[in-house]
Amino acid sequence: MASIETLKRQVLAKGNLPTHVAIIMDGNGRWARQRGLPRTAGHKYGVKAVKKVVRAAGDIGIKYLTLFTFSTENWNRPKNEVSAIMNLLYETTRRELNELLENNVRLITIGDIESLSPKRRDILKDAIARTSKNTGLTLNLALNYSGRLEILQAVKQIAADIAAGKLDIKQIDESRFSQYLLTKGLPDPDLLIRTSGEMRISNFLLWQMSYTELYVTDILWPDFDEAAFYRALSDFQKRERRFGRVKQSSSER
Ligand code: FPP
């Protein structure tokens, strides 16, 4: 099998990289079960995969990487699992802050982080503030995030702005609507990677993924690495994106 360096070189040579890659990191629990370990061990190893992919994405020149880290539905998991995921997230953010700074990574989040415990929220906010001037990869963590709630929140704000006379109904178009979403200012994802074989969107970036290319791999998230990431990029490079139009050949123009 091709080495990581070879894969990286091939992807770089081809050009046409996605600007924004979104990932649903699934399969931590199954990975742990296969090894007779508690689910929380799967999440711990999942963090190792996160580090590999963040490094690979920055290295190859991806501009935006959005990771589905915790959905609003994930609160329904057993209490010890929820707190294990939260602790991993904060510990990793604190531990890796210097590496983010050294690698010019800007950290941002989408989702409701205000309802998290103040200590953990402050660690996140501190990392966001300290990396805010970085100009390399933007690492966007979807945390306590729900695509439907994001759309509802936008609709409510639009209604409020209309009621306050700040917005006219005629002004509402797709681009204006996007400005009310949590992803304001970010381009829509070009590529969605989902691990562990599930063919679902799972309430992730519902508005933003209208024309996103989907890539599903059977690899469980803790086993996902640089090579797997470059293979996903290479697959994307073969896609023909039409955005609802037909392919235009020169004779048809
Ligand atoms: C899905 O696997 C994974 C999650 C819900 C949590 C992902 C979180 C991390 C990897 C830690 C985040 C850390 C950073 C620094 C971003 P699953 O538990 O749904 O697996 P299963 O479908 O096999 O049960």
Side-chain angles (χ1 to χ4, degrees), residues 2-120:
S3 73
I4 294 174
E5 276 312 310
T6 312
L7 283 166
K8 182 179 164 188
R9 234 177 299 119
Q10 285 167 349
V11 169
L12 275 174
K14 191 103 195 273
N16 182 33
L17 278 173
T19 303
H20 184 175
V21 179
I23 307 185
I24 299 179
M25 310 180 288
D26 197 12
N28 293 349
R30 272 161 286 175
W31 185 93
R33 196 171 57 231
Q34 285 174 4
R35 286 161 180 77
L37 297 169
R39 293 178 57 81
T40 49
H43 299 313
K44 195 166 152 216
Y45 277 86
V47 172
K48 293 182 195 287
V50 168
K51 284 162 69 175
K52 289 178 192 166
V53 169
V54 170
R55 219 172 286 140
D59 245 21
I60 205 160
I62 302 293
K63 292 302 294 173
Y64 300 91
L65 178 67
T66 297
L67 302 179
F68 205 0
T69 308
F70 197 85
S71 73
T72 51
E73 291 81 15
N74 287 154
W75 291 112
N76 299 321
R77 293 187 175 208
K79 235 175 141 192
N80 77 317
E81 185 176 345
V82 171
S83 68
I85 295 176
M86 289 294 167
N87 281 336
L88 271 176
L89 178 74
Y90 304 115
E91 275 168 24
T92 310
T93 311
R94 192 160 42 188
R95 210 179 36 234
E96 302 299 326
L97 179 59
N98 280 337
E99 184 163 347
L100 295 179
L101 288 166
E102 276 161 28
N103 289 290
N104 198 17
V105 177
R106 177 173 72 122
L107 182 71
I108 60 171
T109 59
I110 50 171
D112 178 16
I113 64 166
E114 295 305 324
S115 63
L116 304 176
S117 81
K119 189 177 140 221
R120 292 160 166 180

Side-chain angles (χ1 to χ4, degrees), residues 67-248:
L67 302 179
F68 205 0
T69 308
F70 197 85
S71 73
T72 51
E73 291 81 15
N74 287 154
W75 291 112
N76 299 321
R77 293 187 175 208
K79 235 175 141 192
N80 77 317
E81 185 176 345
V82 171
S83 68
I85 295 176
M86 289 294 167
N87 281 336
L88 271 176
L89 178 74
Y90 304 115
E91 275 168 24
T92 310
T93 311
R94 192 160 42 188
R95 210 179 36 234
E96 302 299 326
L97 179 59
N98 280 337
E99 184 163 347
L100 295 179
L101 288 166
E102 276 161 28
N103 289 290
N104 198 17
V105 177
R106 177 173 72 122
L107 182 71
I108 60 171
T109 59
I110 50 171
D112 178 16
I113 64 166
E114 295 305 324
S115 63
L116 304 176
S117 81
K119 189 177 140 221
R120 292 160 166 180
R121 187 191 57 209
D122 291 347
I123 290 171
L124 265 176
K125 284 192 164 175
D126 176 58
I128 291 168
R130 287 174 60 187
T131 60
S132 65
K133 300 274 187 308
N134 288 349
T135 54
L137 173 73
T138 294
L139 173 60
N140 179 24
L141 301 182
L143 181 55
N144 199 12
Y145 173 84
S146 151
R148 284 189 172 181
L149 282 183
E150 179 188 31
I151 291 172
L152 278 181
Q153 157 298 115
V155 169
K156 285 182 191 167
Q157 189 57 49
I158 286 172
D161 283 356
I162 291 172
K166 291 190 212 157
L167 182 70
D168 190 282
I169 291 177
K170 288 194 213 70
Q171 292 173 296
I172 305 171
D173 57 12
E174 291 189 9
S175 125
R176 179 73 63 139
F177 190 84
S178 300
Q179 297 302 305
Y180 284 85
L181 295 173
L182 301 169
T183 49
K184 173 179 181 216
L186 305 186
D188 289 342
D190 304 291
L191 171 66
L192 171 75
I193 300 172
R194 180 163 189 151
T195 56
S196 92
E198 237 68 73
M199 305 278 184
R200 285 193 288 274
I201 300 286
S202 300
N203 204 7
F204 191 34
L205 301 174
L206 297 178
W207 168 274
Q208 298 86 339
M209 289 216 282
S210 295
Y211 289 104
T212 300
E213 295 292 327
L214 308 182
Y215 177 88
V216 176
T217 169
D218 285 335
I219 299 174
L220 303 177
W221 178 251
D223 289 328
F224 198 81
D225 59 10
E226 295 90 341
F229 184 67
Y230 292 142
R231 278 193 205 101
L233 297 184
S234 166
D235 192 88
F236 171 85
Q237 289 172 319
K238 293 181 203 132
R239 309 278 180 99
E240 186 208 320
R241 303 186 76 192
R242 294 197 300 273
F243 300 94
R245 299 183 291 262
V246 292
K247 188 180 178 188
Q248 218 172 33

